[in-house]
Amino acid sequence: MIRTIVKFALFVATLASAQGLEAQNSYISQQDCLLQDYDYFFRQLEQIHPDPYSAFGGKDGFDKAVKRLRNELANCDSLTPNDIHVEVTKLISALHDGHTYIGNAKAPKKIEDQWVPLKFQVIPEGIIVNGYTPELKALKGAMLCEVEGKSLESVLDRLDKLVVSENRYGLMGYACRNIGNTNTLRQLFPTFNKNQISMKFRMTNGKDTLVSLPFYPNGPFWENIVWTSTDERFPHKNFEYNFIDDSKQTMVMCINSIVSADIPNLESYGLKSDVIVADAFAKMLREMKAANSQRLIIDLRGNHGGWTMIMYAALYELYGKRFMDTDLGMHYATKVSEGWLKKNNTTLEQFNQNSGTSLKMGDFIERPSNISSFDWFMCADMNILKAQNGEPIYTPREIYVVTDVHTFSAAFHTAYMLWKMGAKVVGVPSGQAPNTFMEVTLFKLPNTGLECSVSNSLQSFLPTDHPMAKTFTPGIQLSYDDYRQFDFSKDAELLFIEKLTK
């Protein structure tokens, strides 16, 4: 099962667990407890991760980096769970693995979070303003060029050493969420201690403007943010779909999260859905077939993932047996570890017996690169699919899939599979790399109880020298002028496709 965790969001532990460190053992200091958790995290990382060493130049380099940071933390006057999270994140940023992270304690920081009154969006050419307070309306659609006198590129280079990202677009996605945050700015600029931030923007008229922006604490001021517009003809709820033209030639389906109501124990993973994906997709395709509709647009923007195998049924309904016969090039090598076996409720002996293998701890399991069997499908009623007898319910003449930096994990897999089947990809490159680490094993740190995640599989979709091995670039990308033409609408990519097809 390929289970996905939201790319840049971190599991949060309660303040009570952080405060309870001292109470659990009066003979062990809070600092010692935190250092024990530090050691536990890196033991798990070494056991579970497919390749924890290469990013550090080998095992010796990894060991030295981990030991060096531990010594620094041990010599701190006071150590908090937040310190552990920040410093470990800096260290593992070298992995460029969006599925591996250490939990973040919801504990008070030394200085309260404050924010500039702007929201940002990644487009192929950079970062633009797509949300603002009324007095900053002139910045709508403006391109961010500099922060505190430093070019955006140099700021991103600094940020790359502080956070986990898989490619430049993922890094820009993180910047959009945090570039206006005081605590992030203090990491980027160690001497920063001001009540405002200097940012340079390229305005819609092409002129550069330097702006000093104030900071606001978390609170009601966010309610005053004005967002760029949406087009209500387009669906915006999960697995919602509708025709956007009177002739019923163009169908749009929105997919915000890849979860399905027929998956048991969904709530135990913190997820919920009232839609059975295979049913929704089949119904949509039958409506398209009845109307002889020629065009399907699948909107995966803002979709952080779910379970990849849920979408196999939908793609089988769309393409029939051709989907199963196509070599998708999706290669996975899963590392066997205690954590991975525990996640799958088995032991090494049981797994070897059931699969007819003689694997040892640390060995890798290779998975076929195509979906050759219904056994891989995650669908409650397979009889419905088998009744198709290999034929698609309906395959429209044109299929488009729309991505942005947040199209991550299972959502990225869906975009990739559609692309391999011949769909046209439109929008912004995903923050996930095609060749990367994948499929998480979760665990808790023994003292703080913080939730952590480590990838247990190596994913390889493209040759290592392929120009898209690290950045999945859409075949159709909008220019800044295109976004401006659509008044920087949140649905600019969909409006662009509509114009393109006309």
Side-chain angles (χ1 to χ4, degrees), residues 24-306:
Q24 67 171 288
N25 191 331
S26 58
Y27 298 100
I28 301 177
S29 69
Q30 173 168 308
Q31 187 161 5
D32 287 338
C33 287
L34 289 169
L35 290 173
Q36 287 176 3
D37 278 359
Y38 177 94
D39 295 336
Y40 184 83
F41 175 83
F42 281 103
R43 284 199 301 273
Q44 293 297 309
L45 178 67
E46 282 195 272
Q47 291 173 14
I48 297 169
H49 200 276
D51 182 12
Y53 304 132
S54 294
F56 297 90
K59 181 170 171 42
D60 286 346
F62 173 85
D63 290 342
K64 288 177 182 177
V66 172
K67 184 178 181 180
R68 186 185 308 115
L69 177 57
R70 192 190 193 283
N71 290 337
E72 292 174 3
L73 294 172
N75 290 323
C76 290
D77 292 336
S78 63
L79 192 62
T80 69
N82 185 63
D83 295 329
I84 292 288
H85 164 70
V86 170
E87 296 305 321
V88 170
T89 299
K90 289 180 184 178
L91 183 60
I92 64 175
S93 68
L95 294 173
H96 290 285
D97 176 2
H99 288 81
T100 294
Y101 54 79
I102 186 169
N104 184 16
K106 191 178 181 180
K109 297 179 176 64
K110 294 179 181 178
I111 304 174
E112 184 182 10
D113 277 329
Q114 290 187 311
W115 307 80
V116 297
L118 293 176
K119 291 289 186 179
F120 300 96
Q121 172 190 354
V122 179
I123 65 171
E125 294 176 41
I127 294 175
I128 63 171
V129 175
N130 76 332
Y132 44 86
T133 49
E135 66 272 17
L136 295 173
K137 183 179 179 180
L139 292 176
K140 175 182 177 180
M143 183 87 73
L144 180 62
C145 301
E146 292 182 4
V147 180
E148 283 294 287
K150 302 295 183 181
S151 70
L152 178 60
E153 282 304 306
S154 66
V155 172
L156 291 173
D157 287 340
R158 295 186 185 190
L159 188 64
D160 193 33
K161 297 177 177 63
L162 303 175
V163 302
V164 176
S165 65
E166 296 192 358
N167 58 32
R168 202 65 166 181
Y169 284 90
L171 191 62
M172 286 197 289
Y174 187 94
C176 282
R177 294 191 300 277
N178 295 279
I179 198 70
N181 172 259
T182 48
N183 280 305
T184 299
L185 289 167
R186 289 186 187 95
Q187 291 187 66
L188 290 169
F189 307 101
T191 61
F192 181 82
N193 186 23
K194 300 190 297 184
N195 294 322
Q196 57 187 16
I197 183 74
S198 169
M199 291 186 174
K200 180 182 286 188
F201 294 93
R202 182 151 297 157
M203 309 300 281
T204 55
N205 62 8
K207 295 182 179 180
D208 289 353
T209 299
L210 190 65
V211 180
S212 292
L213 297 164
F215 293 110
Y216 292 89
N218 288 319
F221 98 91
W222 288 115
E223 298 173 4
N224 296 324
I225 291 288
V226 179
W227 295 93
T228 53
S229 64
T230 58
D231 191 315
E232 293 308 314
R233 292 177 305 146
F234 299 118
H236 295 100
K237 296 179 181 178
N238 202 24
F239 288 102
E240 181 183 13
Y241 60 88
N242 56 258
F243 291 109
I244 62 168
D245 56 336
D246 293 337
S247 61
K248 296 186 177 181
Q249 289 302 291
T250 301
M251 175 72 83
V252 179
M253 173 178 268
C254 174
I255 308 180
N256 296 327
S257 179
I258 299 179
V259 293
S260 185
D262 59 341
I263 305 304
N265 304 318
L266 197 63
E267 291 78 8
S268 65
Y269 294 102
L271 302 169
K272 60 183 294 187
S273 174
D274 55 3
V275 175
I276 296 177
V277 172
D279 290 352
F281 232 82
K283 184 180 178 183
M284 176 191 70
L285 292 174
R286 290 189 182 102
E287 290 182 24
M288 293 186 70
K289 184 175 183 179
N292 194 29
S293 181
Q294 298 299 302
R295 190 172 304 109
L296 172 62
I297 302 172
I298 297 177
D299 183 6
L300 293 171
R301 295 172 304 159
N303 187 326
H304 298 280

Side-chain angles (χ1 to χ4, degrees), residues 423-439:
K424 297 176 181 178
V425 184
V426 182
V428 180
S430 166
Q432 180 182 308
N435 293 0
T436 186
F437 304 107
M438 185 55 58
E439 190 187 349

